[in-house]
Amino acid sequence: MMTDHFVNNPDAFSSYLYILGKVHPSKRSESTMQELLSARGNYTCFAPTNEAIHAYLQTLVDEGLISSPSWDSFTDSTKLDSIRKVIVKNSIIDGGDIETQRYSIAQFPTENNAEFPLPNLNDRRLTYYSPESYPDSIYINRDCPIDEKNRDILVINGVLFQMHKVIAPTDMTCAAYFRNVLEKGTDGYLTFAKCVL
């Protein structure tokens, strides 16, 4: 099972395994994502390494959200839960009861920037990207590289990919984007932003 792979590879996945045990599939569920990934199913998991999670926490330090890149530096439990959910729910696609909806590389989209058919657990569609100059290199959402050696790892309940960056799409809305354009006075959409807002 997926959870067994994380347990058996603590040097790569101990941080991810830890937060899987803290995140629940839904508000009504008492079980954790760790328990979910230890049961039968058809999951595609883009699991970030310990280094990737540490780097993501460092970006939160750089943004001034936390004081150091550790779980202990969160002073707000709501923010802590939110960050854990971002890491976990953006990394998993649930294929339900259909085995063909667990995605190995052979089932990935074939065109750059094409979306996976199913959304992740955060209800976002992930995209595929492979640079023409280096076709063995595959990125999720254009900037999250899949490890070239640790990919297409088949387990009983799905397929695993080792990631070198946390998949964390921005939550910025169009209105927020245009407000940002107006505040900074940047070129591009400035006139349109003035018309809209």
Side-chain angles (χ1 to χ4, degrees), residues 172 175-187 189-191 193-194 197:
M172 183 177 280
Y177 175 79
F178 289 129
R179 226 176 279 113
N180 192 37
V181 168
L182 283 176
E183 288 171 7
K184 293 185 177 179
T186 55
D187 292 332
Y189 296 105
L190 185 57
T191 303
K194 287 178 182 178
L197 300 175

Side-chain angles (χ1 to χ4, degrees), residues 2 36-37 39-44 92-103 117-121 156-159:
M2 282 195 185
L36 187 73
L37 295 182
R40 291 220 175 254
N42 294 294
Y43 302 102
T44 304
I92 301 168
I93 297 174
D94 183 355
D97 296 330
I98 304 172
E99 192 166 325
T100 56
Q101 292 184 162
R102 55 168 73 177
Y103 303 115
L118 294 174
N120 60 24
L121 294 179
I156 292 170
N157 58 346
V159 186

Side-chain angles (χ1 to χ4, degrees), residues 34-185:
Q34 184 176 352
E35 292 167 332
L36 187 73
L37 295 182
S38 64
R40 291 220 175 254
N42 294 294
Y43 302 102
T44 304
C45 185
F46 300 101
T49 62
N50 294 339
E51 290 79 14
I53 292 173
H54 181 80
Y56 179 67
L57 292 176
Q58 182 60 51
T59 65
L60 301 180
V61 172
D62 297 343
E63 292 171 9
L65 296 175
I66 54 176
S67 59
S68 66
S70 73
W71 299 115
D72 296 333
S73 65
F74 284 88
T75 55
D76 182 345
S77 63
T78 303
K79 190 180 292 183
L80 173 61
D81 289 342
S82 175
I83 295 300
R84 288 175 177 161
K85 286 177 187 173
V86 164
I87 295 171
V88 171
K89 292 195 171 189
N90 282 311
S91 67
I92 301 168
I93 297 174
D94 183 355
D97 296 330
I98 304 172
E99 192 166 325
T100 56
Q101 292 184 162
R102 55 168 73 177
Y103 303 115
S104 64
I105 288 177
Q107 285 89 32
F108 275 20
T110 55
E111 294 184 22
N112 280 340
N113 303 315
E115 295 180 338
F116 282 81
L118 294 174
N120 60 24
L121 294 179
N122 205 25
D123 203 26
R124 298 283 187 98
R125 300 259 179 180
L126 302 178
T127 60
Y128 162 89
Y129 178 75
S130 180
E132 287 182 25
S133 58
Y134 196 37
D136 289 339
S137 184
I138 297 174
Y139 293 80
I140 300 301
N141 285 10
R142 205 170 178 90
D143 69 344
C144 299
I146 295 176
D147 188 273
E148 292 187 20
K149 294 179 182 175
N150 299 295
R151 55 171 65 172
D152 262 352
I153 301 166
L154 298 176
V155 292
I156 292 170
N157 58 346
V159 186
L160 284 163
F161 298 89
Q162 182 171 309
M163 302 298 293
H164 293 295
K165 186 176 180 183
V166 168
I167 300 170
T170 180
D171 286 331
M172 183 177 280
T173 63
C174 283
Y177 175 79
F178 289 129
R179 226 176 279 113
N180 192 37
V181 168
L182 283 176
E183 288 171 7
K184 293 185 177 179

Side-chain angles (χ1 to χ4, degrees), residues 24-32 35:
H24 300 276
S26 70
K27 291 179 180 177
R28 295 175 297 212
S29 178
E30 293 293 321
S31 63
T32 65
E35 292 167 332

